[in-house]
Amino acid sequence: MKDVQEVRELARHIRIETLKMLTGLGFGHYGGSMSVVETLAVLYGDVMRIDPTKPDWQERDYFVLSKGHAGPALYATLALKGYFPVSELQTLNQNGTRLPSHPDRLRTTGVDATTGSLGQGVSIAAGMALSHKLAGRSNRVFCILGDGELNEGQCWEAFQFIAHHNLHNLTLFIDYNKQQLDGTLDEVIKPFDLAGKFSAFGFDVQTIKGDDVEAISEAVTPVRHAEQRPLVVILDSIKGQGVKYLEQLANSHHLRLTPDVKLEIENAIAELEAAHV
Amino acid sequence: MFEVTLELQKDAVEMRKVYANTVREKIVENTPIIALEADLMSSMAMDGVHKDHPQHVINCGIMEANVIGVAAGLSLTGRVPFVHTFTAFASRRCFDQLFMSLDYQKNNVKIIASDAGVSACHNGGTHMSFEDMGIVRGLANSVVMEVTDAVMFRNILLQLMDLKGFYWVRTIRKQATQVYKEGSTFTIGKANLLRDGSDVTLIANGIMVAEALKAAEMLEREGVSAAVIDMFTLKPIDKDIIIKYAAKTGKIVTCENHSIHNGLGSAVAEVLVENHPVPMRRVGVKERYGQVGTQEFLQQEYGLTAEHILEAAKALL
């Protein structure tokens, strides 16, 4: 990893900007945005071959946020990397905005695929990876799925497809934060042996802490070769990760801020801003 | 430009062979085409092409939703994906994928939907789609077509290689009735006037074009002059010709191998009611699901023959 401190700093800023944009709005998908912050920081800050001045550069690595409701965290990342001005983040979900709650590639510079209807992003990522592999190109594809998203049957179609075609240039991250909209996974649809399922499909499976930037970076480095199996990284994460108040909530999937909650989040932003990483 | 053949004989080549041969040709020419199949490769005569060009024909297995997403990813990286499966699975089974992964984000994917309507024959009601054209024409950016015969199918496929966007092409798999002479070309979005007339206009698509031509012959024998229009592009529909012939003949009959709801009949009615209302009748499937049978039996059973068109036209006169 090039510079751990730099990636941690990026993560801190992604978290601050995401909290600010949701809090400015007064509602939004807090929990699932927070739990992917470190992964986004590692991908955009260290791993992916990108050029924010050339968002359509054909040599770039591709990113698909299959769990589209974490869009705000992706926007914060893209803005901080220079795809568009950070000030634009405050237009999230405003009338006529280029930043809708779920990513839209035709509206937002730097978004590679439109997602939001769950289960579809992973298939799109598979198609991208297949395309690069068939053409013998070295572009890599990264895709983050939610653990609740795995309820969707299409995910499992895609996993079979990815394994069958040995798409070693594709890395899947499962944001295993153990909660979905209506409650915990155990209450709604149990994940059972998640790692075991992916092993059975023929993936190389790594389970790491969802906020451990060094472990995330190590998991996807070095670049995989044709003889290797596709990789799935299970991120053992916490919904609301990195914000104590949110981590302790029973359900932080979507919050509509009361004055009390708003104060809590504002305090968290102030703490993060004051933090020396 | 097109020319009509008046013999109304069966095509020499099956529609599936037209598809396989055209895809093979484009692969050999080194175009960026990639054909995706959902375990119906052999049904579409694509197995031979797959064997010879495994990098260009991908059998994705029985996972239509994923196939649409994979096609989107291929499109986003510069390939030109053509996806084939049966019409029922390409529409009912994965409509949200068509919306989200293709149409909404303007991906460049062509869907070839086979076994249209009653042509699903012995696969029966479960596999018979009378809804697909209505479903797909609801999407904001879609272009929706139903090809008439082998000459048209090949010409449209060749055009689609160079056109960007979400295109839906409905077809039967076996031999169609030849309507067009070899070498005919077609303009997407522009209907073909196959026969002029002054008393009534028959607007048809797919297998019903030949039936409409037969019905026009029968009407002529009874002293009625019927115009016949091949509305092979359902969306965007050719409004001008509909309005022109509503004004000229004052009566319209639509003929489709599809539900009368939301397909050709509805689309023509929409144009008429906003521009030039005239009495009309819709020949098509009426509030029913399919069943097994030969195509002849099913056309009879579901009211999709020249005689049914004749009856509908006479009811207007």
Side-chain angles (χ1 to χ4, degrees):
Chain A
M1 177 166 210
K2 280 177 292 193
D3 189 336
V4 184
Q5 282 308 104
E6 208 176 276
V7 173
R8 285 197 181 129
E9 265 306 279
L10 178 59
R12 184 169 72 97
H13 285 290
I14 296 171
R15 187 160 276 123
I16 291 168
E17 293 302 333
T18 307
L19 289 172
K20 276 186 178 171
M21 98 180 89
L22 292 173
T23 306
L25 198 64
F27 61 90
H29 291 118
Y30 278 91
S33 288
M34 290 298 108
S35 54
V36 296
V37 163
E38 278 74 15
T39 306
L40 288 167
V42 171
L43 289 178
Y44 281 88
D46 182 48
V47 170
M48 280 167 58
R49 184 169 58 181
I50 50 168
D51 181 351
T53 67
K54 290 189 284 179
D56 296 327
W57 183 37
Q58 292 198 351
E59 312 278 303
R60 75 187 188 278
D61 291 335
Y62 288 67
F63 175 73
V64 180
L65 185 65
S66 199
K67 46 169 283 180
H69 50 283
L74 175 60
Y75 300 151
T77 310
L78 293 172
L80 289 164
K81 290 302 290 182
Y83 285 90
F84 52 84
V86 172
S87 59
E88 201 176 328
L89 294 176
Q90 292 310 309
T91 70
L92 176 78
N93 274 0
Q94 304 291 340
N95 293 339
T97 187
R98 295 201 305 162
L99 304 177
S101 56
H102 299 84
D104 183 332
R105 72 177 193 92
L106 298 178
R107 289 183 191 273
T108 313
T109 310
V111 168
D112 286 328
T114 300
T115 52
S117 182
L118 294 174
Q120 298 194 33
V122 61
S123 295
I124 296 175
M128 290 170 165
L130 176 71
S131 183
H132 296 313
K133 189 184 173 191
L134 288 174
R137 294 191 292 256
S138 63
N139 312 58
R140 299 170 74 188
V141 183
F142 299 91
C143 176
I144 303 182
L145 294 106
D147 51 3
E149 185 178 10
L150 301 182
N151 296 176
E152 294 282 4
Q154 185 176 350
C155 295
W156 302 92
E157 296 182 3
F159 299 152
Q160 291 177 78
F161 183 88
I162 292 161
H164 176 85
H165 288 281
N166 191 26
L167 300 178
H168 53 85
N169 53 348
L170 171 61
T171 299
L172 303 178
F173 293 93
I174 309 296
D175 180 21
Y176 186 36
N177 61 34
K178 294 123 200 132
Q179 281 189 357
Q180 52 193 105
L181 179 55
D182 277 344
T184 65
L185 268 57
D186 281 345
E187 289 165 340
V188 182
I189 287 286
K190 273 196 214 319
F192 298 97
D193 178 7
L194 205 49
K197 281 177 178 168
F198 282 103
S199 294
F201 273 103
F203 281 82
D204 182 2
V205 189
Q206 301 201 23
T207 302
I208 55 181
K209 283 282 174 202
D211 61 353
D212 186 341
V213 294
E214 286 167 289
I216 296 168
S217 175
E218 273 165 34
V220 299
T221 317
V223 173
R224 301 170 81 75
H225 296 291
E227 60 274 13
Q228 289 172 293
R229 290 173 294 166
L231 173 66
V232 62
V233 179
I234 298 177
L235 300 161
D236 181 9
S237 63
I238 304 168
K239 208 139 185 170
Q241 190 166 282
V243 180
K244 271 197 204 72
Y245 172 75
L246 294 175
E247 286 183 5
Q248 284 157 8
L249 284 182
N251 192 338
S252 64
H253 183 89
H254 187 277
L255 296 184
R256 192 167 281 280
L257 303 189
T258 60
D260 289 355
V261 177
K262 189 160 188 263
L263 192 64
E264 293 282 0
I265 307 277
E266 280 167 353
N267 288 338
I269 294 171
E271 251 178 63
L272 280 164
E273 282 184 324
H276 294 284
V277 182
Chain B
M1 284 304 293
F2 66 88
E3 270 190 275
V4 179
T5 168
L6 297 170
E7 287 87 44
L8 293 184
Q9 311 254 313
K10 285 279 179 196
D11 267 328
V13 55
E14 292 181 324
M15 296 298 250
R16 57 181 161 190
K17 290 273 171 52
V18 173
Y19 180 63
N21 294 344
T22 311
V23 169
R24 182 191 287 275
E25 188 180 316
K26 299 313 285 185
I27 291 171
V28 171
E29 283 174 17
N30 267 324
T31 62
I33 192 172
I34 184 159
L36 303 181
E37 288 280 344
D39 200 37
L40 287 174
M41 205 161 64
S42 50
S43 308
M44 201 58 174
M46 286 292 285
D47 34 0
V49 191
H50 175 255
K51 192 164 164 280
D52 296 341
H53 304 282
Q55 304 273 307
H56 294 83
V57 181
I58 309 291
N59 191 350
C60 301
I62 310 158
M63 42 172 81
E64 290 79 12
N66 182 57
V67 176
I68 301 303
V70 167
L74 288 161
S75 156
L76 286 164
T77 49
R79 297 295 292 259
V80 182
F82 280 63
V83 177
H84 161 256
T85 185
F86 288 164
T87 299
F89 309 140
S91 59
R92 299 197 295 256
R93 189 163 190 103
C94 53
F95 181 61
D96 189 44
Q97 284 75 16
L98 298 180
F99 163 79
M100 181 77 195
S101 292
L102 301 190
D103 203 62
Y104 184 80
Q105 53 185 309
K106 295 191 174 169
N107 272 317
N108 181 29
V109 176
K110 320 299 169 15
I111 309 286
I112 310 304
S114 74
D115 264 18
V118 294
S119 80
C121 294
H122 290 101
N123 275 323
T126 56
H127 287 49
M128 217 163 267
S129 171
F130 300 145
E131 315 78 25
D132 55 288
M133 303 281 269
I135 290 172
V136 183
R137 88 180 176 105
L139 296 170
N141 300 316
S142 63
V143 175
V144 184
M145 284 177 277
E146 176 156 6
V147 285
T148 312
D149 67 3
V151 171
M152 181 190 280
F153 194 20
R154 179 177 154 74
N155 180 256
I156 294 293
L157 287 170
L158 292 174
Q159 291 190 46
L160 291 189
M161 272 304 303
D162 302 316
L163 291 169
K164 282 211 156 47
F166 173 33
Y167 286 78
W168 178 271
V169 183
R170 189 184 202 238
T171 183
I172 64 172
R173 275 191 295 141
K174 301 195 175 155
Q175 283 158 299
T177 300
Q178 186 178 0
V179 171
Y180 297 102
K181 285 189 180 160
E182 285 295 333
S184 291
T185 57
F186 306 90
T187 307
I188 294 169
K190 195 168 179 329
N192 295 336
L193 178 67
L194 303 185
R195 180 185 169 118
D196 209 351
S198 53
D199 298 328
V200 61
T201 303
L202 313 177
I203 303 178
N205 59 11
I207 62 169
M208 297 303 284
V209 174
E211 297 300 320
L213 286 167
K214 286 182 216 162
E217 287 289 324
M218 296 175 188
L219 285 163
E220 189 175 275
R221 286 198 289 274
E222 301 190 18
V224 178
S225 166
V228 177
I229 292 169
D230 181 354
M231 191 64 75
F232 69 93
T233 312
L234 179 66
K235 183 192 168 213
I237 200 160
D238 185 346
K239 287 184 184 176
D240 294 346
I241 201 167
I242 296 171
I243 296 164
K244 183 177 168 195
Y245 273 82
K248 183 171 180 181
T249 65
K251 297 163 210 71
I252 303 263
V253 178
T254 56
C255 322
E256 59 193 313
N257 172 21
H258 185 276
S259 168
I260 56 164
H261 298 305
N262 224 356
L264 180 66
S266 296
V268 169
E270 288 160 15
V271 174
L272 291 177
V273 80
E274 285 184 347
N275 296 281
H276 194 107
V278 295
M280 75 173 282
R281 289 287 184 278
R282 291 171 294 162
V283 171
V285 179
K286 298 179 177 74
E287 310 285 12
R288 290 179 70 188
Y289 288 130
Q291 60 184 308
V292 293
T294 61
Q295 190 168 313
E296 293 68 28
F297 166 80
L298 293 167
Q299 281 188 240
Q300 197 57 249
E301 175 67 23
Y302 290 86
L304 307 178
T305 68
E307 287 75 15
H308 292 97
I309 299 170
L310 178 77
E311 233 170 79
K314 280 182 165 175
L316 286 174
L317 294 167

